[in-house]
Amino acid sequence: MDVENAFLHGDLQEEVYMHIPPGFETSQTIGKVLRLHRSLYGLKQSPHAWFDRFRKAMLKRGYPQSNADHTLFYKHTEDKVAILIVYVDDIVITGNDTKEISNLKHRLAQEFEVKDLGHLRYFLGIEVSKGPKGIFISQRKYILDLLKETGMLGSRPMATPMDQDHRSSGGTGTPVDRERYQRLVGRLIYLSHTIAFAVSVVSQFMHDPRSTHMEVVNRILRYLKGCLGKGLLYTRQGNVQVECYTDADWAGSLDDRRSTSGYCTFVGGNLVSWRSKKQSVVARSTAEAEFRAMAHGVCELLWLQILLTELRLYRHTPLMLYCDNKAAIDIANNPVQHD
């Protein structure tokens, strides 16, 4: 569902005044201003005011707000559940309680100006399709639009987004158009479900992009040309086992010698979250770098546990964490070494 003019639904708590718009001035309005009772587009308070109004409407309807994700609301009725998640003015509703979902849509239409867009097919640049095997998500249309905009539709595809041993650093190569580079990388951030690590690398040079960094961005675009039809397939595996795989490089950054952590988590054999991020401190060994990656993985596992518990999907089975570094595993198993 889509909320029309979402920010106009927000109620302001503070006193906010505005100049009288052009065309509405009269001789009696000289030197006067208008006091706002509702939020307007462009106000800093508008997003908060809109979401606060929406949250109160959902709580009044009997939908608790999730502690794991504050944009998620749910309602349990015996063994059935209705789930709603909102991103600014875009709403997705799911669950197995069809009667409650129908009632919820009716209530939302009474409370706000909403448009029912039918079954979920396109959301935040992600295409969603259902089939007999499960749910398939991809970003084919977004990639095609990006390649068309950059003139790379006719480029030769690449098998990988980046060389396996690639090490980028600042100050190498000739300067390039910073605005174009930032716009390109900004568009790639919305594609990070396929190229999380590569995008995290090129994002580090937004302040001073060079020709060597632009070459990496062009290689990423050529890689996207070769994987237009690829995506993620979510199937029913008969379980909700939660697993997390972690990894890290060691001193991967040539500029500050910091390492990069990476993890991906699966629920019931389906990939649900992933991340690649440079570590905040310099690791003095591969074991330390891997151990920090494991710590991020544990945080993600605990977050998923809270979320699944709220939705009554958690079966109290062990949360599985996988790491391939023997020293890091030994540190995790030996409390004496935790210092």
Side-chain angles (χ1 to χ4, degrees):
M1 304 185 78
D2 179 65
V3 183
E4 297 182 2
N5 301 319
F7 286 177
L8 303 184
H9 293 287
D11 297 318
L12 291 175
Q13 304 298 324
E14 308 91 346
E15 285 191 18
V16 180
Y17 298 89
M18 64 174 285
H19 292 291
I20 296 174
F24 287 87
E25 307 100 329
T26 66
S27 58
Q28 297 176 339
T29 61
I30 296 175
K32 294 184 178 181
V33 292
L34 300 178
R35 180 182 175 184
L36 292 177
H37 294 281
R38 291 289 184 89
S39 60
L40 286 177
Y41 282 81
L43 278 181
K44 292 181 180 178
Q45 296 93 332
S46 293
H48 177 75
W50 149 243
F51 184 74
D52 188 58
R53 167 89 186 278
F54 184 83
R55 182 182 64 85
K56 288 177 180 176
M58 293 303 297
L59 293 175
K60 186 170 67 175
R61 180 77 188 131
Y63 280 74
Q65 187 177 13
S66 169
N67 289 318
D69 186 342
H70 291 168
T71 63
L72 179 72
F73 301 85
Y74 58 89
K75 184 177 183 180
H76 292 284
T77 307
E78 296 177 354
D79 59 339
K80 294 184 177 181
V81 63
I83 304 167
L84 178 146
I85 193 164
V86 57
Y87 183 85
V88 189
D89 58 353
D90 294 316
I91 297 172
V92 175
I93 304 173
T94 186
N96 57 0
D97 193 342
T98 53
K99 183 179 178 182
E100 175 58 34
I101 290 175
S102 178
N103 291 337
L104 175 61
K105 289 162 68 175
H106 178 68
R107 294 285 184 177
L108 287 174
Q110 289 181 329
E111 188 87 18
F112 311 104
E113 293 181 45
V114 295
K115 187 188 296 181
D116 191 347
L117 303 177
H119 289 292
L120 181 64
R121 288 187 172 85
Y122 197 78
F123 186 69
L124 302 180
I126 299 174
E127 296 173 67
V128 182
S129 57
K130 295 181 180 179
K133 292 184 178 180
I135 299 172
F136 181 76
I137 68 171
S138 69
Q139 289 187 284
R140 186 175 185 276
K141 182 180 182 301
Y142 187 90
I143 294 173
L144 281 172
D145 292 342
L146 178 59
L147 293 174
K148 192 181 298 182
E149 179 189 318
T150 55
M152 299 286 284
L153 264 177
S155 61
R156 183 168 57 89
M158 296 292 290
T160 58
M162 186 178 286
D163 288 329
Q164 185 175 357
D165 299 322
H166 178 81
R167 297 287 183 94
S168 289
S169 62
T172 57
T174 56
V176 297
D177 184 351
R178 184 168 67 174
E179 187 178 334
R180 180 172 180 268
Y181 182 88
Q182 291 175 345
R183 187 170 61 251
L184 268 176
V185 175
R187 295 287 302 272
L188 289 173
I189 287 172
Y190 280 91
L191 280 167
S192 58
H193 83 287
T194 53
I195 44 175
F197 174 71
V199 172
S200 72
V201 171
V202 294
S203 297
Q204 296 171 27
F205 308 102
M206 300 271 264
H207 61 289
D208 184 24
R210 300 295 178 116
S211 56
T212 53
H213 309 140
M214 185 59 84
E215 288 173 9
V216 178
V217 171
N218 288 333
R219 179 179 174 130
I220 293 173
L221 292 171
R222 290 169 62 189
Y223 166 74
L224 293 172
K225 169 75 185 301
C227 62
L228 283 173
K230 292 183 180 179
L232 295 172
L233 178 65
Y234 293 89
T235 59
R236 181 177 293 182
Q237 305 284 349
N239 67 80
V240 285
Q241 174 66 57
V242 184
E243 303 167 301
C244 179
Y245 294 83
T246 66
D247 201 2
D249 67 357
W250 181 50
S253 173
L254 296 177
D255 294 325
D256 53 20
R257 290 299 173 182
R258 284 194 267 174
S259 309
T260 301
S261 300
Y263 65 75
C264 57
T265 54
F266 293 78
V267 176
N270 296 301
L271 181 64
V272 295
S273 66
W274 52 93
R275 196 178 189 193
S276 177
K277 183 175 174 62
K278 187 191 283 191
Q279 295 179 3
S280 56
V281 296
V282 177
R284 290 181 288 182
S285 66
T286 55
E288 183 181 344
E290 296 266 1
F291 190 78
R292 291 184 182 277
M294 290 172 66
H296 289 302
V298 169
C299 291
E300 187 72 7
L301 284 175
L302 294 176
W303 175 78
L304 280 172
Q305 183 187 36
I306 295 170
L307 184 63
L308 293 173
T309 301
E310 289 182 332
L311 299 178
R312 298 182 185 175
L313 295 173
Y314 183 55
R315 297 288 181 261
H316 299 284
T317 53
L319 304 171
M320 305 303 295
L321 179 71
Y322 296 98
C323 174
D324 62 356
N325 186 281
K326 190 174 185 302
I329 295 170
D330 289 342
I331 293 172
N333 288 326
N334 187 353
V336 175
Q337 298 178 3
H338 273 186
D339 57 341

